[in-house]
Amino acid sequence: MSAIARFFQANGAAVSGYDKVESGLVMELEKEGMEIHFEEDVDGIPKNVDLVVYTPAVPKDHKELIFYQQHGNRIMKRSDVLEMITKSSFNICIAGTHGKTTTTTMVAHLLRDSGFGCTAFLGGISVNYETNFWLQPSTGRDGTRREVCVVEADEYDRSFLKLDPDIAVISAMDPDHLDIYGTAEVMEEAFIDFSNKLREGGLLISKFGLKRGKELKGTNHLTYSLQNEGADAYAENIRMKNGSYEFDVIIKDSKIENVILHMGGMHNVENAVAAITVSSSLEIEQEKIKAAVENFKGVKRRFEYIIRNKRIVFIDDYAHHPEELRALIHGAKTLFPQKKCTIIFQPHLYSRTRDLAKGFAEVLDLADEIILLPIYPARELPVEGVSSEMILAGMKSENKRVLDKEEVLKWIGEGFLKNVNREFGEVLITAGAGDIDTLIEPIKEILEQI
């Protein structure tokens, strides 16, 4: 939503809006000149507006939405607006139940940093540019100028089916949003439908080995993988140097040597393979691609080092699906194999917790100590019998508990810091898609005391 708000403001519109809580991102929008409020107030909202945009996260009984509905204002869902904006552009749309934000941001960065150019609508804040949206004219190697949009394609509420990709990327099709789809099979059908949205002559790039991957549509279809040589694109000769990765990328019969990625986690090497495959399909020069990858700084709240000293590494991550948590914990343990790994996880949505509790329990057991926060409900009302204790009960680890946010801060100050391993140190991770990020600054203040 914030990317779309920035799009309209960049095109001269006056933008105002409502949000549930005041976050760092919202504060940035206010600094950019947007008027934002946090209480439902029909009397205080602008009445003479050209367009009202909302997402499925807004409840149907929201007073302001009802007001605009009753007064005949033009109202559109976010996905419909994105469809309208991208109708006539060349679209690179990245979808997947996880991995899409990092991959989308990386693709957009490679195009921008290489000089190819693009307009970007991202689901996270690019560290390179401190924004999730930008406008930049695109020019191909032949000098042809065209409007190129890089879009994060969200599967929630089937929003991605409103897009018309020229290049579509599918990074994962693991079960999620079963409150919308009902079953994993129905959700997989939606991804198959998304691949069928490719424009004539378009290119599909999907992760190698996806369940039902052979059912994906697309006359031009490339697969990518971390290291599986059965894929059309993959990495080989991967080396780790000072927390960074150096590797070669094979794409069909071509080879890009000595690519350097300054991000933790082998899953990010795989994301880089996908992004490089997109860039190569646009005929961007290899040296420009390599330079852009090396310059990539990542996405805020995506495997971001917040504090790193000799004893404690503090990482914050947006992970809210079991496979995202698996990649996060595995990446942390790979980079810091001798350090004890503690994760503070906030489950997101009652429905996701209910549907994926077993998967969450299995993956969280990979950590050495686990703290669960209560479920962040977002758009949902409580579901009887569903709580963080569902995950806790399925875990084999004995070093686990459920704490609220105040208890977490008290535990870090009085328990965690007093028991830090003096020889090897600790890794502390916060993860989730709710309001767990409000703990980042208080945790930093506590950790910086040592």
Side-chain angles (χ1 to χ4, degrees):
M1 279 292 279
S2 55
I4 289 178
R6 282 169 161 155
F7 167 83
F8 282 117
Q9 189 182 55
N11 282 279
V15 179
S16 61
Y18 163 88
D19 206 343
K20 193 172 183 179
V21 295
E22 186 170 10
S23 63
L25 175 56
V26 170
M27 292 172 66
E28 287 299 316
L29 299 181
E30 290 179 312
K31 290 178 184 177
E32 293 168 17
M34 302 181 203
E35 295 184 6
I36 302 172
H37 60 282
F38 306 94
E39 299 290 338
E40 293 182 45
D41 180 15
V42 172
D43 294 331
I45 59 176
K47 305 301 190 293
N48 184 25
V49 297
D50 297 306
L51 178 64
V52 178
V53 187
Y54 74 102
T55 77
V58 177
K60 293 180 180 180
D61 62 353
H62 195 282
K63 296 175 183 177
E64 297 175 12
L65 180 60
I66 292 173
F67 174 85
Y68 287 123
Q69 289 170 337
Q70 292 176 341
H71 287 77
N73 292 90
R74 187 187 184 194
I75 302 174
M76 297 179 69
K77 289 174 67 173
R78 184 193 73 93
S79 56
D80 293 322
V81 173
L82 202 52
E83 176 186 21
M84 177 182 70
I85 292 171
T86 61
K87 202 66 179 177
S88 60
S89 56
F90 181 96
N91 300 322
I92 303 169
C93 305
I94 290 89
T97 46
H98 49 86
K100 61 179 174 287
T101 297
T102 299
T103 305
T104 306
T105 305
M106 194 179 295
V107 168
H109 165 75
L110 295 191
L111 269 58
R112 177 172 175 170
D113 192 77
S114 67
F116 184 91
C118 68
T119 294
F121 294 90
L122 311 177
I125 304 299
S126 166
V127 176
N128 287 79
Y129 312 107
E130 290 294 327
T131 185
N132 57 354
F133 168 80
W134 61 78
L135 280 166
Q136 186 187 46
S138 178
T139 305
R141 292 184 69 177
D142 59 358
T144 303
R145 294 176 67 84
R146 57 181 171 177
E147 184 65 30
V148 174
C149 285
V150 177
V151 181
E152 180 166 333
D154 187 6
E155 74 277 5
Y156 178 73
D157 198 34
R158 296 178 170 85
S159 294
F160 61 169
L161 298 183
K162 299 288 181 67
L163 299 171
D164 296 304
D166 293 275
I167 299 176
V169 178
I170 299 178
S171 64
M173 294 164 53
D174 297 308
D176 200 2
H177 303 304
L178 299 187
D179 55 322
I180 298 295
Y181 292 105
T183 66
E185 290 73 22
V186 173
M187 191 208 70
E188 291 158 5
E189 288 288 346
F191 277 94
I192 293 170
D193 291 341
F194 171 70
S195 69
N196 204 30
K197 293 284 292 182
L198 269 168
R199 289 170 174 162
E200 185 176 354
L203 172 64
L204 173 65
I205 301 171
S206 67
K207 182 173 176 178
F208 181 78
L210 287 178
K211 181 182 178 183
R212 302 184 69 180
K214 293 182 180 179
E215 297 178 52
L216 296 173
K217 312 300 180 183
T219 305
N220 303 315
H221 186 183
L222 297 176
T223 58
Y224 72 93
S225 173
L226 176 61
Q227 289 180 288
N228 195 313
E229 296 180 7
D232 297 303
Y234 57 91
E236 68 173 13
N237 193 24
I238 301 174
R239 297 90 70 194
M240 182 178 287
K241 295 183 178 180
N242 300 318
S244 299
Y245 293 103
E246 188 171 333
F247 52 95
D248 305 331
V249 176
I250 308 298
I251 305 176
K252 289 284 193 177
D253 297 324
S254 65
K255 185 175 185 178
I256 304 177
E257 296 182 323
N258 301 320
V259 177
I260 298 173
L261 177 67
H262 298 300
M263 290 185 73
M266 291 288 279
H267 60 291
N268 282 318
V269 175
E270 186 171 66
N271 292 336
V273 172
I276 290 169
T277 304
V278 172
S279 301
S280 297
S281 73
L282 298 171
E283 298 184 344
I284 298 174
E285 296 173 10
Q286 285 193 6
E287 291 305 314
K288 289 184 177 181
I289 293 174
K290 287 172 57 177
V293 173
E294 188 169 0
N295 291 337
F296 184 62
K297 298 178 181 178
V299 186
K300 280 194 174 180
R301 302 203 72 239
R302 285 294 194 280
F303 210 82
E304 179 184 2
Y305 294 121
I306 297 175
I307 293 178
R308 181 174 179 179
N309 57 34
K310 292 181 180 178
R311 289 165 55 195
I312 297 177
V313 175
F314 177 27
I315 300 169
D316 179 56
D317 195 290
Y318 187 72
H320 59 287
H321 185 279
E323 291 308 311
E324 292 174 336
L325 288 171
R326 187 188 305 277
L328 169 62
I329 297 170
H330 178 73
K333 282 182 163 287
T334 299
L335 287 174
F336 308 103
Q338 293 181 306
K339 294 182 183 292
K340 175 188 173 186
C341 178
T342 298
I343 185 167
I344 303 169
F345 174 60
Q346 182 186 50
H348 185 260
L349 299 178
Y350 290 99
S351 58
R352 181 181 284 124
T353 303
R354 176 196 63 207
D355 297 331
L356 304 178
K358 183 179 179 181
F360 280 124
E362 175 191 338
V363 169
L364 289 169
D365 268 335
L366 297 174
D368 300 303
E369 185 166 5
I370 306 96
I371 307 295
L372 292 175
L373 288 169
I375 295 171
Y376 183 80
R379 57 188 175 269
E380 295 183 338
L381 295 174
V383 176
E384 186 176 354
V386 178
S387 68
S388 295
E389 279 74 10
M390 282 186 69
I391 299 174
L392 200 76
M395 294 173 59
K396 297 178 180 179
S397 173
E398 295 183 358
N399 207 1
K400 60 186 179 181
R401 71 200 81 176
V402 176
L403 301 176
D404 63 28
K405 286 192 278 190
E406 289 186 7
E407 291 170 331
V408 164
L409 295 177
K410 182 177 180 181
W411 169 77
I412 290 174
E414 299 180 2
F416 177 80
L417 286 185
K418 292 181 179 179
N419 296 296
V420 171
N421 185 293
R422 298 293 173 179
E423 183 177 2
F424 299 115
E426 311 263 346
V427 175
L428 178 64
I429 300 171
T430 53
D435 62 357
I436 190 172
D437 57 337
T438 60
L439 289 179
I440 295 173
E441 290 304 319
I443 291 175
K444 284 172 63 177
E445 291 178 6
I446 296 171
L447 297 183
E448 285 169 349
Q449 294 174 10
I450 67 171

